[in-house]
Amino acid sequence: MNDPSRRFLLGGALASTAGLALAGRSLLDASPAKAQAPVPAGHGGGADGPTFRIGQTVDHTANGFNPTQVLRDFDYGTTTRLPDGRTLREWEVFASDEDIEVAPGVTFPAWTLNARVPGPTLRCREGELLRVHFRNGSEHPHTLHFHGIHPAEMDGIAGLGAGIIQPGQSTTYEFDATPFGLHLFHCHVGPLAEHIARGMYGTFIVDPPTPRPPADEMVMVMHGYNTTFDGEGNQLYAVNGIPFHYMHEPVRVKRNELVRIYLVNVLEYDPINSFHVHGNFFDYYPTGTRLQSSEFTDTIVQGQGQRGICEMRFPHPGKYMFHAHKTEFAELGWMGFFEVSD
């Protein structure tokens, strides 16, 4: 997994990894490096290629989303009361093909849910009846497969229920919200790895009947971009869509306030991912299906599709880095800062 060709973003700036946390500086502060890995025709960065000078960022407005907003964007849908007193919660989710600028001057032809990567964070409470109205506006066939407990015909796979949803078609997935915890949903059409790696995924939170303690809540979806489309590893790694974003725009939190991170790993083409925070420890709740933490740590590892809840308080003000504890992933975009203030 240490193929030098995967380090195209940083070029000569990677002569040493010491710059990773030196004086709180991002590797983007190094001398400009130009993208060398091939990208699809029409998805380059101009005659001289993209550059990565300090301060340069992608065009969030053109992308249609900003990871800073994605971080705390929970979609509760719309609710009505059923005759039996239960809550019916409904969402509209659509698939579309979008060109996303994933690094300055580098665009990626993504397959998206609600026109962003990652897709929406759908949130509900255990015991509710859920209806997800899915419309396929993409040029490719797709489905929605939800992790959780539901009838077979609602599984979002070929040959069951509505099966594969062709371009221009729609369907509705209906099931009960159970079990409580942190889940995900994604397309389940083959080749499955490509459909997921292109961006067809989102977070699915089922809150317990008794709410968790109040906290500054946020979602972090760990993923990557295989810009060569060869299915052999990734050339970029990110949280919530854009590599290095939280280096440019640190996650702002309050000192001593409970911070709750819904951490999801949907990385394809690499077997594992990880999360490490500097200067602090956190309680970890695997899958969020139990209210007791499994460990108190500063680093956890997740396989593909695994997820868990991290809870922590920052006792000291300042900037604290967080990143994958796989150096290559961090150097290619999976890193950021918490900025703690009173």
Side-chain angles (χ1 to χ4, degrees):
M1 307 308 293
N2 289 309
D3 180 355
S5 68
R6 297 173 64 187
R7 297 172 176 257
F8 76 95
L9 268 183
L10 301 173
L14 280 181
S16 168
T17 60
L20 182 65
L22 180 61
R25 290 181 52 183
S26 160
L27 282 173
L28 291 183
D29 293 23
S31 58
K34 297 186 177 180
Q36 298 165 359
V39 294
H43 291 86
D48 295 327
T51 60
F52 297 88
R53 295 181 184 274
I54 182 172
Q56 286 192 333
T57 61
V58 306
D59 187 339
H60 301 302
T61 300
N63 280 346
F65 69 93
N66 185 320
T68 296
Q69 277 75 55
V70 170
L71 190 71
R72 295 181 174 92
D73 182 17
F74 299 97
D75 186 346
Y76 290 90
T78 59
T79 60
T80 54
R81 187 70 65 181
L82 296 169
D84 64 0
R86 292 179 69 194
T87 295
L88 168 64
R89 193 175 300 272
E90 301 180 82
W91 296 273
E92 301 284 341
V93 177
F94 65 91
S96 63
D97 305 329
E98 309 287 344
D99 283 347
I100 294 174
E101 188 182 21
V102 295
V106 177
T107 56
F108 180 84
W111 301 344
T112 72
L113 296 173
N114 289 7
R116 70 181 216 190
V117 175
T121 297
L122 308 184
R123 191 163 185 176
C124 59
R125 180 165 293 180
E126 187 176 45
E128 296 176 336
L129 178 62
L130 309 180
R131 288 181 187 157
V132 182
H133 306 287
F134 176 58
R135 175 171 52 87
N136 187 6
S138 167
E139 295 182 359
H140 309 276
H142 296 299
T143 69
L144 293 185
H145 165 70
F146 285 81
H147 286 223
I149 300 172
H150 49 248
E153 61 269 22
M154 294 297 157
D155 204 36
I157 64 173
L160 289 176
I164 294 176
I165 311 305
Q166 298 296 330
Q169 295 184 343
S170 300
T171 193
T172 297
Y173 299 98
E174 179 176 306
F175 50 91
D176 294 329
T178 187
F180 76 79
L182 172 58
H183 312 304
L184 69 151
F185 62 99
H186 55 82
C187 180
H188 213 291
V189 174
L192 182 56
E194 181 178 12
H195 279 252
I196 295 177
R198 287 285 194 119
M200 298 291 292
Y201 45 80
T203 302
F204 175 43
I205 299 173
V206 180
D207 288 322
T210 300
R212 302 177 193 274
D216 180 1
E217 296 189 318
M218 56 193 73
V219 174
M220 292 189 181
V221 179
M222 305 185 293
H223 61 102
Y225 293 104
N226 177 227
T227 62
T228 60
F229 300 94
D230 61 0
E232 298 293 333
N234 298 282
Q235 288 70 47
L236 290 167
Y237 297 85
V239 171
N240 293 349
I242 305 300
F244 294 113
H245 175 79
Y246 300 112
M247 298 296 290
H248 294 293
E249 296 184 29
V251 179
R252 300 183 185 279
V253 299
K254 294 293 185 181
R255 187 168 70 92
N256 289 326
E257 183 176 10
L258 181 62
V259 174
R260 179 175 298 122
I261 300 170
Y262 294 93
L263 183 73
V264 180
N265 179 33
V266 293
L267 181 65
E268 285 289 345
Y269 307 129
D270 287 290
I272 61 172
N273 208 336
S274 58
F275 173 85
H276 168 62
V277 62
H278 286 206
N280 208 349
F281 269 54
F282 53 85
D283 283 301
Y284 186 63
Y285 303 79
T287 318
T289 50
R290 295 290 185 270
L291 299 178
Q292 299 78 35
S293 67
S294 65
E295 60 182 312
F296 187 55
T297 183
D298 63 356
T299 305
I300 58 97
V301 174
Q302 293 181 341
Q304 293 167 332
Q306 283 193 296
R307 61 273 187 197
I309 298 173
C310 307
E311 290 187 348
M312 71 189 92
R313 299 177 190 268
F314 289 90
H316 307 292
K319 293 178 71 173
Y320 298 91
M321 183 174 281
F322 63 94
H323 57 83
H325 217 291
K326 165 75 170 168
T327 304
E328 180 183 13
F329 293 6
E331 290 173 338
L332 293 177
W334 183 169
M335 58 193 303
F337 275 112
F338 289 105
E339 187 168 312
V340 184
S341 62
D342 289 313

